[in-house]
């Protein structure tokens, strides 16, 4: 570890950059399940990679004297290493090209990055978990919701709210995002910090950036993870800590709110005013950062009412053309009424809305009319199920709080 600490002491002298990404919930149970699957993808990915000329051992030994650097945040959980396998990523031509780009675009030292990537490990669990679900299984909103709106998470949410009431009140005043929405997001993401992920982010992102499994969107996803890998290196250099100390989900999301590294750089807030953004150890920073993310992604503080309204739809089905119009509110109330969509609560006429469907497998689908604030939550995770779970969990925690 002395080598890595020394390496990033040297890298801290170079310039910094910023990035952007979406966050996603972590799941240790999914990770443990995926660890039992085949690891054939490792050999296959390595076989496809084009080897590059190896550097001398002298070039791979960078820095002469170790300088202690504290990892950001509080004590972190032990890393998941049951399926970590050393792969010489330096032999992969795309990795060599990535290093070239980091040197040219961000001013990193080549030898330092070669030393770093010489110690990165391949994470088969990450590869297995990003594979699409088997086809044919119907979506089921009630089953999805039951995983999150349950007593353990609600009780943890009450404790979190009570412990952070001042910060939540301050975030609501500063950003206009209700406390229950912030509480809902952090609860869905990590059960209020209980499960922030135990994978080394550098390992996970490198694996997904260069060994993403075959899929129609493979190129786009690899590009996304390469951007996040670049931002991880920039983040570690900018904040002055060992990048291998950064632990997160199998997809590289970090801390209580599960921000991707680019989101930490772009939307992270030092809300406790201690001079640093710490999403792993500071619940106050996590609260401010979630609120900042939402306001930057379309949350409208002027909408004081519900984020979504239960709706009935006409048997004539003219409303079907209003589904799937993207993650934006674009419809006026009269357009919804004309298509046969009726809400029990009148919609404020000055706002725009969207029609969403929450499928329940063999049971009837639920229909809701959502406003800008609901769609702002979908920018955190591009799923109607996710956004509605955030709303429902926040409401349940608020109702369970002592009077």
């Amino acid at each position: 570890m002395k080598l890595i600490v020394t390496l990033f002491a040297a890298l801290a002298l170079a310039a910094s950059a910023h990035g952007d990404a979406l966050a996603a919930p972590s799941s240790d149970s999914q990770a443990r399940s995926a660890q039992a699957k085949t690891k054939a993808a490792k050999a296959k990915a390595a076989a496809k990679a084009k080897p590059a000329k190896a550097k001398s051992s002298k070039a791979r030994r960078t820095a002469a004297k170790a300088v202690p650097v504290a990892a950001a945040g509080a004590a972190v959980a032990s890393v998941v290493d049951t399926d970590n396998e050393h792969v010489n990523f330096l032999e992969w031509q795309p990795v060599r090209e990535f290093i070239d780009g980091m040197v040219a675009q961000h001013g990193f030292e080549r030898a330092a990055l070669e030393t770093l990537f010489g110690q990165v490990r391949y994470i088969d669990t990450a590869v297995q978990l990003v594979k699409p679900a088997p086809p044919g299984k119907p979506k089921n909103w009630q089953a999805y919701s039951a995983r999150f709106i349950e007593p353990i998470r609600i009780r943890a949410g009450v404790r979190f709210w009570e412990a952070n009431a001042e910060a939540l009140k301050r975030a609501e005043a500063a950003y206009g995002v209700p406390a229950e929405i912030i509480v809902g997001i952090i609860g869905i993401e990590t059960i209020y910090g209980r499960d922030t992920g135990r994978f080394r982010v550098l390992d996970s992102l490198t694996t997904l950036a260069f060994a993403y499994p075959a899929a129609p969107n493979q190129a786009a996803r690899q590009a996304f993870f390469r951007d996040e890998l670049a931002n991880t290196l920039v983040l570690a250099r900018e904040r002055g800590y060992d990048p291998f100390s950064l632990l997160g989900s199998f997809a590289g999301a970090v801390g209580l709110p599960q921000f991707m590294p680019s989101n930490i750089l772009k939307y992270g807030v030092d809300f406790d005013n201690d001079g640093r953004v710490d999403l792993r150890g500071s619940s106050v920073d996590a609260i401010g950062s979630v609120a900042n993310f939402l306001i930057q992604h379309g949350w409208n503080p002027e909408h004081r009412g519900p984020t979504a309204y239960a709706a009935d739809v006409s048997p004539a089905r003219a409303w079907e053309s209003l589904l799937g119009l993207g993650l934006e509110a674009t419809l006026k109330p009269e357009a919804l009424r004309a298509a046969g969509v009726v809400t029990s609560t009148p919609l404020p006429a000055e706002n725009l809305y969207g029609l969403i469907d929450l499928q329940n497998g063999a049971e009837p689908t639920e229909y809701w009319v959502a406003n800008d604030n609901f769609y702002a939550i979908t920018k955190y995770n591009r799923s109607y199920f996710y956004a509605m779970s955030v709303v429902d969990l926040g409401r349940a925690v608020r109702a369970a709080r002592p009077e």
Side-chain angles (χ1 to χ4, degrees), residues 210-392:
F210 301 105
Y212 195 90
N217 64 344
Q218 182 187 47
R221 297 308 291 163
Q222 283 187 318
F224 168 81
F225 285 112
R226 288 182 194 186
D227 285 345
E228 290 303 329
L229 178 60
N231 280 294
T232 299
L233 297 173
V234 170
L235 176 67
R237 181 180 66 184
E238 183 179 282
R239 308 295 163 84
Y241 56 77
D242 170 12
F244 283 118
S245 73
L246 196 62
L247 304 184
S249 74
F250 69 87
V254 176
L256 279 78
Q258 291 290 275
F259 271 22
M260 294 299 285
S262 62
N263 278 345
I264 299 175
L265 286 166
K266 196 165 187 177
Y267 304 112
V269 174
D270 175 20
F271 207 52
D272 61 10
N273 299 310
D274 69 349
R276 62 175 181 166
V277 176
D278 176 14
L279 302 187
R280 294 186 284 174
S282 171
S283 58
V284 176
D285 283 0
I287 287 166
S289 298
V290 169
N292 186 44
F293 181 97
L294 291 175
I295 203 73
Q296 296 294 332
H297 286 83
W299 185 276
N300 188 337
E302 299 301 317
H303 296 344
R304 301 292 183 180
T307 59
Y309 302 78
D312 292 321
V313 293
S314 166
R317 308 189 73 84
W319 45 266
E320 285 186 335
S321 63
L322 304 183
L323 293 171
L325 298 182
L327 301 180
E328 303 288 345
T330 60
L331 302 171
K332 294 183 178 181
E334 53 265 33
L336 289 160
R337 288 193 296 269
V341 179
V342 179
T343 57
S344 56
T345 302
L347 301 175
E350 66 276 13
N351 299 334
L352 296 176
Y353 303 91
L355 180 64
I356 65 172
D357 56 336
L358 302 181
Q359 300 171 33
N360 277 315
E363 299 299 317
T365 296
E366 293 182 26
Y367 295 94
W368 294 74
V369 171
N371 65 18
D372 286 331
N373 291 345
F374 183 91
Y375 286 107
I377 301 172
T378 68
K379 304 307 188 337
Y380 208 103
N381 184 306
R382 302 173 70 85
S383 163
Y384 294 159
F385 281 15
Y386 175 88
M388 190 61 77
S389 291
V390 165
V391 172
D392 285 352

